[in-house]
Amino acid sequence: MRIIFVLPFLLISFSGYSQTATTRSILLNQLRSTHNKAEWFVPVNTAIEGLTPEQANWKDSSGNHSIAQLVTHLTFWNLDQLEKFKGKEKSAFNGNNDDTFTPATAAQWEASVKRIDSVLTAWETIIEQADETKLSTQYTTIANISAHNAYHIGQILYIRKLRGNWNPEKGVK
């Protein structure tokens, strides 16, 4: 009998703790987890932190991409889709995805690290400010961007682990 009496009060107490996920909150969580907020995996800012230009540009002889190439590729597509989301005219692109994987000189590498951070920050800002109608028509694209980012971040970590320049204390042991 006591249980029947106490149960409604418990339900009322816990109802204040429930949180409804919104399209905006889900998209922001996905973007942040691939940008700078470690959750299930290492975000890109951590994945590329502390790399020298030489380490970033290393690649094996099998035709795989270097970390620098992966970062320029991620920057290209994140920026391309961000501009599209903003309604801006698409930049000139020949359609060859291979052209989005470019190496970086020492000066370019430092700029690439800053650029990927600023582009991902811009994504988060625009999602925070977008109206629900816009988000409801674009959520699949934004979710795919996060999945694409996570895929390539995994490649970056694999290269770092292969080369012995990854600190497992930063997230992947």
Side-chain angles (χ1 to χ4, degrees):
M1 188 64 158
R2 282 188 198 170
I3 283 247
I4 294 173
F5 180 73
V6 173
L7 188 58
F9 292 104
L10 286 174
L11 291 174
I12 291 169
S13 297
F14 286 117
S15 68
Y17 292 104
S18 70
Q19 184 178 22
T20 304
T22 64
T23 301
R24 181 184 325 280
S25 68
I26 292 167
L27 294 174
L28 281 170
N29 181 272
Q30 287 181 332
L31 287 167
R32 289 176 177 143
S33 72
T34 59
H35 175 205
N36 59 13
K37 185 179 177 195
E39 288 191 351
W40 285 42
F41 46 83
V42 175
V44 73
N45 281 12
T46 303
I48 61 177
E49 181 180 66
L51 281 172
T52 67
E54 294 75 24
Q55 291 169 327
N57 281 297
W58 178 88
K59 59 189 226 175
D60 64 22
S61 59
S62 70
N64 290 322
H65 298 109
S66 69
I67 292 171
Q69 288 174 307
L70 293 168
V71 171
T72 57
H73 170 77
L74 285 173
T75 302
F76 177 89
W77 285 114
N78 275 274
L79 186 58
D80 178 80
Q81 292 301 303
L82 179 64
E83 295 299 308
K84 185 177 176 184
F85 185 85
K86 290 178 178 179
K88 294 189 177 178
E89 198 155 319
K90 199 167 171 106
S91 61
F93 175 57
N94 66 11
N96 184 352
N97 193 47
D98 291 339
D99 292 346
T100 68
F101 292 94
T102 56
T105 65
Q108 290 169 329
W109 174 243
E110 187 177 321
S112 291
V113 170
K114 290 178 182 173
R115 182 100 164 127
I116 189 73
D117 180 62
S118 69
V119 170
L120 293 175
T121 299
W123 257 120
E124 292 160 18
T125 301
I126 203 163
I127 297 303
E128 287 170 343
Q129 297 169 354
D131 63 56
E132 289 296 326
T133 304
K134 179 85 169 184
L135 292 177
S136 70
T137 62
Q138 299 293 316
Y139 71 90
T140 303
T141 298
I142 300 162
N144 286 334
I145 288 166
S146 295
H148 179 248
N149 291 350
Y151 171 78
H152 288 302
I153 294 165
Q155 291 178 307
I156 290 168
L157 291 176
Y158 179 79
I159 294 167
R160 290 197 72 171
K161 289 173 86 176
L162 181 69
R163 298 292 295 158
N165 60 25
W166 176 247
N167 178 355
E169 297 305 314
K170 292 188 177 206
V172 179
K173 301 197 187 260

